Amino acid sequence: MKLVVVESPAKAKTIEKYLGGGYRVLASYGHVRDLPPKDGSVDPDQGFAMEWETYGDKAKQLKSITDEARKADSLILATDPDREGEAISWHVQEVLAKRKALPAHVERVTFNAITKSAVTEAMTKPRALDEDLIDAYRARRALDYLVGFTLSPVLWRKLPGAKSAGRVQSVSLRLIVDREREIELFRAQEYWSVSATLEADGTEFLARLVRFKGEKVDRLSIGDEGTAMAAKTAVEAGRFTVQSVETKPLTRNPPPPFTTSTLQQEAARKLGFSASHTMRIAQQLYEDGAITYMRTDGVDMAPEAISGARRAIATRYDAGYVPDKPRVYTTKAKNAQEAHEAIRPTDFGRDRAGSGDHARLYALVFKRALASQMASARLERTTVEMTDGTGQTALRATGQVVLFPGFLALYEEGRDDDQDEESRRLPRLGEGDAPAKKAVHAEQHFTQPPPRYSEASLVKKMEELGIGRPSTYAATLQTLKDRDYVTVEKNRFFPAESGRLLTAFLERFFERYVSYDFTAHLEDELDDISGGRAEWQKVLEAFWRDFKPKTAEIMEQKPSEITAALDEFLTPFLFPDKGDGSDPRLCPACGEGRLALRGGRYGAFVACSNYPECKFTRRFAQGGEGGAEDNGPAILGQHPETGEDITRKSGRFGPYIEMGSGKEAKRSSIPKDAGELDLDLAVKLLSLPRTIGNHPETGNPITASIGRYGPYLAHDGKYAKLASTGEVFETGMNTAVAKLADAANSKGQARGSREPLKVLGAHPRTEAEIRLMEGRYGPYVTDGTTNATLPKSLAPDALTLEEAAQLIDDRAAKGPAKKKGRAKKSPVKKSAGKKAPARNAAAKRG
């Protein structure tokens, strides 16, 4: 019997069906080991020796693999065809060898698609494990560990509020922060455009002013309204005739099939998918045998796939859409060993697969791959120049006509940002023609700052700079979100206060390690390792030799020295020149003290040097003029019933309102969606919870209120979310009863209907939704089946999806907790005492 090990159960089931008798196929469920999250897992003094630890949730699966391995004649490692797949195979082999269960004959096979032909062919071409790829994996894993476990303690002690830093994560964050700085430094410039709507042969078209008073007009040439109106008058007064018509043929070639990076970019543009969602769906399509492997830098397709694509094009279109020769694309990937075939359908005769997001992503892959083998599009670009009688004023119209669509009949690549002109159609015009003038326009514009990064444009930029690798982008961006270093609004990345401060700290004290060139060079070195051109331990030694002393140096500095250095470094952002000669650090409250950056328990802020006499403060994120200053409490008015002052204040968790003082004071946070705060709204907020009425079935009250995690309804210990603050004051009895019923019937309510503190996302292995909850004994995570208490060392607001999933898997591996009531069944009195430690342990686990 031959034992085959793959990653996923779906893949195992399909491959076992293809291979038939004589084979046993088991899944490892991803990685089986990792470096334990503790100091000392990598020892630089012992040649970077690594201490690996088996995942707790993999114990059962590893036992099954071990048991089958003891009976097997040979072991076939058939994990994914990339560095991570090679690493998983290596870990499985190492575990079996340690358990003395490794068969005498071990083979490694790879296939790019889970089809019968691809799998059976791969079995005829086994090889040994690729030691270079394994070394590259170890080097990358050790680097990430050393940076995280060496730099993070520095952050915790010297930069309050910082959670972690990472080799690629921090550089990606710097890209987002740098773009925000560009936007803040940008100064808009006014300019005007003058154009005319003309008509010929019943077709209207637009022509723009390109010459005025004999001078060429560029985009920014007309900078004020007066000049614009003069130009408009000149166009209105002139009679324009065609001076020249220039027609140029234009050919557009199709883009190559998807790589990992381009798939993430296009799915973000066209489908609105995050990088992590794209990769999760692509993984499932791959395991279902619908597409080829989705982690690749390659853009070429196998010869049989190209033949299949050309046949599909001929069937769908006519022969003119099939180019004379197959198109061949070449990869720009630096590491040839990891440049596999492009992402494509396994069968070009199948234009649909799956449903929902799976169907949408498959359609994108199918169209892109098919279009890559289609004929080029032929277009014609026409430029018409028209002048008035004086020759001093000229208009230009540009248009584009598709003569033959070619690949554009099926697919056109998306763009990150809006493009200008000029795909408009023009009427047929000849020299001497005088199109009719319908209207003249003078429009004011302002230059725009560079756009914030979307997921697509950020992934593209990271790839251009060589930061990280496409297979890691999804996890990197998700970490930035999980750590609250960035926020995403309208699909654009905004740096959060903590992210901005962290970037400033790293730029000031670890500039080399967050520089784009250094990070890209390190990636090249890792590629050299996987290509057999460098030794992994020497690369690590060169990095560690400089990095370790630098962290030790910063650790020796006092927090006050760190803050002073950041104050100086951030001066252009925090205290920009006002342009009137005044001191930008002068306190606006007392007019005497000077503002400076200060470090507090909950992060950095700007404060007056005259503290405590002057209590003026400003949040760190409100750089320069970028926000309202906190000059202290503001009285909104008096409560209409009690006559007490209602005061607006700012606290640790943001703005809030207060009425009264001491223990008897009533307080309410100010919701972000509440709109403009006035006395009436303040009175409403302080009156919460609002009783809607008694439930028609139970007779018990239904209330509406706002909690730490948003507006909600409550009834008999059951809760339901409300969409907005407005609904708290507007929801009636019928709607409230319906919402509570819907919440009670929704998934997971049987295990308790409390509102989650946070929804972390889908479990990376089971796809179940993971939620962070507040329990009787503290916060815990749940997937609806298994609850796992957070250890005290793990802060709830710093919890990542992967950490939560691992806690749940570890808890599930221990089996169901023993019920306390069992002690009563024992006739032996001493048993209760024996079970006491178990109860204590259970309490600790939650």
Side-chain angles (χ1 to χ4, degrees):
M1 186 268 291
K2 295 183 177 181
L3 173 63
V4 181
V5 176
V6 296
E7 295 95 337
S8 76
K11 189 174 174 182
K13 185 177 180 181
T14 303
I15 291 174
E16 192 164 65
K17 180 178 66 177
Y18 290 155
L19 296 177
Y23 289 89
R24 180 79 171 98
V25 185
L26 293 177
S28 69
Y29 288 82
H31 275 283
V32 297
R33 299 193 306 179
D34 196 9
L35 298 172
K38 63 179 183 180
D39 195 26
S41 295
V42 177
D43 189 350
D45 297 329
Q46 299 298 322
F48 297 92
M50 301 182 200
E51 175 190 325
W52 300 100
E53 180 180 73
T54 302
Y55 285 128
D57 63 318
K58 301 298 172 63
K60 182 178 179 182
Q61 199 61 24
L62 276 176
K63 184 179 185 305
S64 299
I65 292 173
T66 303
D67 291 344
E68 291 294 332
R70 294 187 195 280
K71 298 182 289 183
D73 301 318
S74 62
L75 171 67
I76 300 175
L77 300 165
T79 50
D80 289 341
D82 61 1
R83 181 166 42 212
E84 289 301 309
E86 207 74 16
I88 292 171
S89 286
W90 174 72
H91 278 302
V92 170
Q93 178 178 284
E94 290 289 298
V95 169
L96 292 178
K98 192 174 182 180
R99 297 182 179 186
K100 303 187 183 306
L102 188 68
H105 191 56
V106 180
E107 296 176 336
R108 171 81 167 112
V109 301
T110 59
F111 33 82
N112 196 44
I114 305 179
T115 61
K116 187 170 184 178
S117 59
V119 171
T120 52
E121 183 182 355
M123 293 296 171
T124 66
K125 299 176 180 178
R127 62 169 172 82
L129 282 172
D130 189 323
E131 293 296 333
D132 291 333
L133 279 183
I134 295 167
D135 285 347
Y137 160 78
R138 289 195 287 189
R140 187 178 294 272
R141 190 68 194 88
L143 269 175
D144 292 340
Y145 170 90
L146 289 171
V147 170
F149 272 82
T150 307
L151 192 53
S152 292
V154 177
L155 296 176
W156 299 336
R157 296 185 189 183
K158 307 301 179 183
L159 197 68
K163 298 170 185 174
S164 70
R167 184 178 60 86
V168 176
Q169 162 198 327
S170 298
V171 183
S172 305
L173 177 61
R174 182 183 175 182
L175 276 172
I176 297 170
V177 172
D178 281 352
R179 177 55 55 89
E180 196 69 19
R181 289 172 182 158
E182 290 181 59
I183 293 171
E184 290 166 350
L185 293 172
F186 178 82
R187 295 294 176 263
Q189 181 178 345
E190 179 186 8
Y191 70 98
W192 290 72
S193 64
V194 177
S195 59
T197 300
L198 307 175
E199 183 183 30
D201 296 334
T203 301
E204 289 189 355
F205 63 99
L206 197 69
R208 56 187 175 87
L209 181 69
V210 292
R211 188 162 68 245
F212 177 53
K213 293 182 179 180
E215 299 290 332
K216 181 181 178 182
V217 175
D218 292 321
R219 178 168 170 257
L220 302 178
S221 295
I222 303 176
D224 60 86
E225 185 176 9
T227 306
M229 291 302 110
K232 178 184 179 185
T233 301
V235 175
E236 289 173 333
R239 181 179 183 274
F240 290 85
T241 57
V242 176
Q243 288 296 111
S244 65
V245 179
E246 184 181 5
T247 301
K248 287 184 178 180
L250 183 67
T251 300
R252 283 181 60 185
N253 296 320
F258 283 129
T259 61
T260 301
S261 171
T262 54
L263 176 64
Q264 291 174 4
Q265 293 173 47
E266 195 74 338
R269 296 185 194 110
K270 291 192 170 181
L271 306 179
F273 289 179
S274 67
S276 57
H277 185 64
T278 296
M279 296 310 292
R280 185 163 54 247
I281 298 299
Q283 175 82 40
Q284 292 162 0
L285 288 171
Y286 165 68
E287 291 177 357
D288 290 341
I291 65 173
T292 55
Y293 192 56
M294 65 290 158
R295 291 188 177 89
T296 174
D297 293 326
V299 290
D300 61 316
M301 294 198 300
E304 61 270 20
I306 293 176
S307 299
R310 288 170 65 85
R311 287 194 300 270
I313 295 165
T315 301
R316 181 181 285 225
Y317 304 96
D318 62 47
Y321 285 83
V322 184
D324 294 336
K325 295 180 180 179
R327 294 187 181 277
V328 178
Y329 299 92
T330 55
T331 181
K332 295 180 181 179
K334 298 176 182 178
N335 189 342
Q337 287 197 15
E338 292 191 87
H340 305 291
E341 191 181 357
I343 304 170
R344 61 166 177 85
T346 55
D347 180 5
F348 279 101
R350 179 185 184 186
D351 59 0
R352 291 182 177 83
S355 60
D357 286 352
H358 293 75
R360 297 171 69 198
L361 190 64
Y362 178 82
L364 199 63
V365 171
F366 178 87
K367 290 178 180 179
R368 173 86 167 219
L370 193 63
S372 73
Q373 288 300 317
M374 291 176 70
S376 301
R378 296 196 306 276
L379 305 97
E380 186 177 79
R381 175 162 291 172
T382 302
T383 302
V384 178
E385 188 121 357
M386 295 160 281
T387 60
D388 66 355
T390 66
Q392 296 293 297
T393 308
L395 300 174
R396 181 181 295 157
T398 305
Q400 189 170 281
V401 177
V402 177
L403 302 177
F404 173 69
F407 76 94
L408 292 176
L410 176 65
Y411 177 85
E412 183 166 11
E413 190 172 22
R415 295 181 172 92
D416 293 320
D417 300 296
D418 294 335
Q419 303 293 302
D420 57 11
E421 335 212 3
E422 278 170 0
S423 58
R424 298 183 287 266
R425 292 202 63 159
L426 293 179
R428 188 170 295 279
L429 295 167
E431 290 186 23
D433 288 348
K437 195 187 307 167
K438 306 291 289 185
V440 180
H441 323 279
E443 298 177 283
Q444 183 187 39
H445 309 277
F446 292 92
T447 53
Q448 297 298 311
R452 291 180 176 88
Y453 286 111
S454 63
E455 279 220 0
S457 59
L458 184 58
V459 164
K460 183 178 181 180
K461 188 66 175 179
M462 290 168 69
E463 186 176 38
E464 286 175 358
L465 295 174
I467 297 170
R469 282 295 173 259
S471 59
T472 66
Y473 292 160
T476 298
L477 300 187
Q478 190 60 47
T479 299
L480 294 180
K481 298 174 191 174
D482 291 342
R483 298 297 190 196
D484 293 325
Y485 289 147
V486 299
T487 58
V488 181
E489 298 176 24
K490 296 181 180 179
N491 199 33
R492 297 282 174 171
F493 284 100
F494 290 74
E497 179 178 322
S498 56
R500 185 145 197 172
L501 187 61
L502 171 62
T503 299
F505 176 83
L506 294 174
E507 282 187 88
R508 173 59 181 81
F509 296 103
F510 295 92
E511 197 281 330
R512 180 188 184 199
Y513 302 100
V514 290
S515 72
Y516 304 134
D517 290 344
F518 176 81
T519 306
H521 176 68
L522 196 54
E523 287 293 344
D524 290 342
E525 290 189 302
L526 291 169
D527 284 346
D528 286 341
I529 295 170
S530 60
R533 300 180 295 275
E535 295 181 26
W536 70 279
Q537 288 164 314
K538 288 185 178 179
V539 170
L540 290 178
E541 284 171 6
F543 174 85
W544 188 247
R545 188 165 50 244
D546 295 326
F547 183 72
K548 177 60 176 175
K550 184 66 176 177
T551 56
E553 174 193 330
I554 303 305
M555 189 66 90
E556 291 299 316
Q557 294 194 31
K558 298 177 181 178
S560 58
E561 295 173 337
I562 298 288
T563 302
L566 287 176
D567 177 271
E568 181 182 355
F569 181 79
L570 289 165
T571 292
F573 165 63
L574 295 174
F575 314 107
D577 190 341
K578 295 182 177 181
D580 57 4
S582 62
D583 183 2
R585 287 181 179 264
L586 187 66
C587 177
C590 69
E592 297 176 358
R594 301 190 78 241
L595 302 180
L597 187 68
R598 294 285 182 265
R601 182 179 178 185
Y602 304 111
F605 62 97
V606 173
C608 178
S609 60
N610 280 343
Y611 180 85
E613 287 77 16
C614 178
K615 292 184 172 60
F616 174 86
T617 60
R618 186 176 75 206
R619 290 181 59 186
F620 165 79
Q622 294 169 204
E625 304 299 323
E629 295 156 345
D630 179 11
N631 290 299
I635 297 176
L636 297 173
Q638 287 73 42
H639 194 284
E641 295 178 7
T642 67
E644 292 182 277
D645 287 344
I646 298 178
T647 308
R648 183 190 187 281
K649 296 184 174 183
S650 290
R652 173 185 167 191
F653 300 108
Y656 66 98
I657 51 175
E658 180 181 80
M659 181 175 71
S661 59
K663 294 182 179 180
E664 303 301 319
K666 293 197 68 174
R667 299 180 182 88
S668 172
S669 60
I670 303 172
K672 291 182 179 179
D673 66 342
E676 186 175 350
L677 181 69
D678 57 18
L679 180 61
D680 289 341
L681 177 58
V683 171
K684 286 183 178 181
L685 291 171
L686 290 170
S687 69
L688 295 178
R690 165 185 167 242
T691 300
I692 297 172
N694 293 332
H695 195 289
E697 294 179 4
T698 66
N700 294 328
I702 299 175
T703 59
S705 192
I706 301 172
R708 182 179 177 188
Y709 299 96
Y712 66 94
L713 295 169
H715 168 254
D716 274 0
K718 304 292 178 64
Y719 301 87
K721 281 186 177 180
L722 291 175
S724 66
T725 297
E727 286 191 7
V728 173
F729 304 109
E730 298 165 3
T731 299
M733 178 60 71
N734 291 339
T735 302
V737 170
K739 283 182 178 288
L740 286 164
D742 290 343
N745 293 328
S746 64
K747 181 181 177 182
Q749 288 298 321
R751 295 185 63 85
S753 56
R754 292 187 300 276
E755 285 293 290
L757 303 181
K758 187 177 183 182
V759 176
L760 296 168
H763 193 299
R765 290 173 282 281
T766 68
E767 294 293 315
E769 182 181 82
I770 297 180
R771 290 162 291 153
L772 175 64
M773 309 291 290
E774 185 65 54
R776 182 178 178 185
Y777 300 107
Y780 66 95
V781 288
T782 181
D783 63 354
T785 302
T786 302
N787 296 347
T789 301
L790 264 63
K792 292 181 179 179
S793 60
L794 196 58
D797 60 351
L799 182 70
T800 66
L801 175 62
E802 186 56 44
E803 289 169 339
Q806 193 60 52
L807 287 170
I808 288 172
D809 291 344
D810 291 347
R811 184 66 190 85
K814 295 177 182 177
K818 294 182 179 180
K819 295 182 179 179
K820 294 180 180 180
R822 290 180 183 174
K824 297 179 181 179
K825 296 181 180 180
S826 175
V828 183
K829 291 183 180 180
K830 290 183 179 180
S831 63
K834 291 179 181 179
K835 286 185 178 285
R839 287 200 299 272
N840 291 338
K844 291 178 182 177
R845 290 194 303 267

